């Protein structure tokens, strides 16, 4: 870092903008010394914790868990007016707290706060979580907190205070018309702190059909931006959301506070540190057969032992 700073002093016509704020790697440059992902721990100690997000999901290491039933989505079909904001790091849609989720082996009911997205550049990789090393062009996070809490800052003091539903996107040939209200509004909020109101939208519009939400990955992790609080029960859905190349490109018109293009808005994957990822769909019958055989073997070994 010191070397970079010295180098920057000699570079021609640089204007050093001091950024106490955190930023993504795509913002780190000579003349904008913000705090990139490698050093987020300087902003919040939690960012160097042992249960951080995002992670790479290795499908050969996941464990099926039959308690991971489908979710009950409450109010997701209701239309609402929501504030859409360029907050300098991403685009965020504030949600009415009448939208709730339960089921899916969550300990209680959680209410929605907002959703936001993470994306790449020119149709390239942009998701935060990866599956077997594959990074998708975009990822959406619907952030919920336990019903009993008033705010995110209150919820993050609880190890399972936050439940995020994560969705991966895939580039499609045809446009996903359901995203048009959001995508068409982006041109009004290209600068940080700009916001606009989305009217007549519902959460249901933005996510796959409920029938396609039964397969998901579950693990315990953190917020993927500072303060990186380790308070998140993650549910990442296997079914992707389609968006055309042009629709993805609409996000690249947004700008960071330094005037640069808001692209590659993701944190690199973090170490698992022994954490297990569970999976809701399939293979359950196979596993119970294995367990059955094992229990037969164990009990026969036990009876042999008692007999001996
Ligand atoms: C967006 O923010 C900039 C800078 O604060 C401001 O000049 C501009 O008018 C805003 N645009 C809208 C559509 O609110
Ligand atoms: C969702 O599943 C239904 C069948 O239940 C299927 O017809 C539809 O194409 C799927 N939609 C998406 C977006 O995956
Ligand atoms: C956005 O608003 C916050 C406070 O509301 C302010 O601190 C910040 O400087 C603003 N950023 C820009 C780019 O206008
Ligand atoms: C930083 O430098 C680049 C060129 O090296 C320039 O395009 C950009 O506007 C500068 N940003 C600031 C905030 O001065
Ligand atoms: Zn996020």
């Amino acid at each position: 870092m010191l070397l970079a700073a010295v180098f920057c002093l000699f570079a021609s016509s640089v204007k050093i903008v001091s950024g106490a704020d955190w930023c993504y790697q795509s913002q780190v440059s000579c003349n904008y010394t913000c705090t990139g992902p490698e050093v987020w721990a300087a902003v919040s100690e939690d960012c160097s914790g042992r249960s951080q997000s995002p992670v790479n999901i290795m499908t050969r290491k996941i464990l099926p868990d039959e308690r991971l039933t489908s979710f009950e989505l409450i109010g997701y079909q209701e239309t609402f007016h929501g504030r859409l904001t360029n907050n300098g790091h991403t685009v965020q849609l504030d949600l009415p707290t009448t939208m709730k989720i339960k089921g899916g082996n969550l300990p209680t009911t959680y209410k929605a706060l907002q959703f936001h997205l993470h994306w790449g550049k020119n149709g390239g990789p942009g998701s935060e979580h990866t599956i077997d090393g594959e990074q998708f062009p975009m990822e959406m996070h619907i952030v919920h907190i336990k019903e009993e809490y008033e705010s995110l800052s209150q919820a993050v003091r609880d190890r399972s205070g936050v439940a995020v539903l994560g969705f991966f996107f895939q580039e499609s040939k045809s446009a996903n018309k359901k995203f048009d209200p959001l995508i068409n509004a982006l041109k009004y909020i290209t600068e940080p702190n700009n916001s606009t109101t989305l009217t007549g939208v519902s959460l249901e519009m933005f996510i796959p059909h409920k029938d396609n939400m039964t397969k998901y990955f579950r693990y315990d992790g953190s917020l993927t931006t500072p303060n990186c609080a380790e308070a998140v029960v993650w549910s990442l859905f296997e079914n992707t959301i389609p968006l055309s190349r042009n629709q993805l490109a609409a996000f690249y018109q947004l700008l960071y506070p330094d005037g640069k293009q808001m692209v590659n808005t993701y944190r690199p994957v973090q170490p698992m540190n022994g954490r297990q990822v569970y999976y809701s769909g399939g293979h359950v019958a196979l596993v119970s057969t294995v367990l059955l055989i094992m229990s037969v073997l164990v009990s026969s070994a036990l009876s042999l032992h008692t007999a001996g």
Side-chain angles (χ1 to χ4, degrees), residues 229-249:
E230 295 182 340
V232 182
V233 182
W234 279 96
S235 306
L236 295 156
F237 294 89
E238 192 168 277
N239 267 84
T240 58
I241 301 170
L243 278 192
S244 69
R245 172 67 74 110
N246 281 342
Q247 288 183 306
L248 286 169

Side-chain angles (χ1 to χ4, degrees), residues 15 17 31 258:
K15 178 169 142 257
V17 177
N31 51 1
D258 61 351

Side-chain angles (χ1 to χ4, degrees), residues 187-195:
K187 59 176 173 289
Y188 302 115
I189 57 164
T190 55
E191 292 182 57
N193 286 358
N194 285 167
S195 67

Side-chain angles (χ1 to χ4, degrees), residues 195-214:
S195 67
T196 185
T197 304
L198 281 195
T199 56
V201 290
S202 72
L203 258 185
E204 202 177 55
M205 288 168 58
F206 299 107
I207 60 175
H209 188 270
K210 203 174 177 305
D211 292 348
N212 307 327
M213 283 181 63
T214 56

Side-chain angles (χ1 to χ4, degrees), residues 13-15 17 29 31-32 258 260:
S13 69
V14 293
K15 178 169 142 257
V17 177
S29 72
N31 51 1
Y32 191 74
D258 61 351
K260 257 201 268 180

Side-chain angles (χ1 to χ4, degrees), residues 22-29 32 34 88-89 256-258 260:
W22 65 271
C23 66
Y24 289 111
Q25 193 59 40
S26 54
Q27 280 175 277
V28 178
S29 72
Y32 191 74
C34 57
H89 302 293
Y256 285 130
D258 61 351
K260 257 201 268 180

Side-chain angles (χ1 to χ4, degrees), residues 55-86:
V55 296
N56 174 39
I57 294 166
M58 297 173 76
T59 53
R60 67 184 169 81
K61 290 195 175 172
I62 59 179
L63 276 186
D65 184 343
E66 59 200 7
R67 290 170 304 174
L68 297 178
T69 54
S70 57
F71 288 91
E72 191 179 327
L73 308 173
I74 303 154
Y76 267 48
Q77 76 291 347
E78 287 165 17
T79 56
F80 64 94
H81 304 308
R83 180 159 289 267
L84 187 74
T85 309
N86 173 344

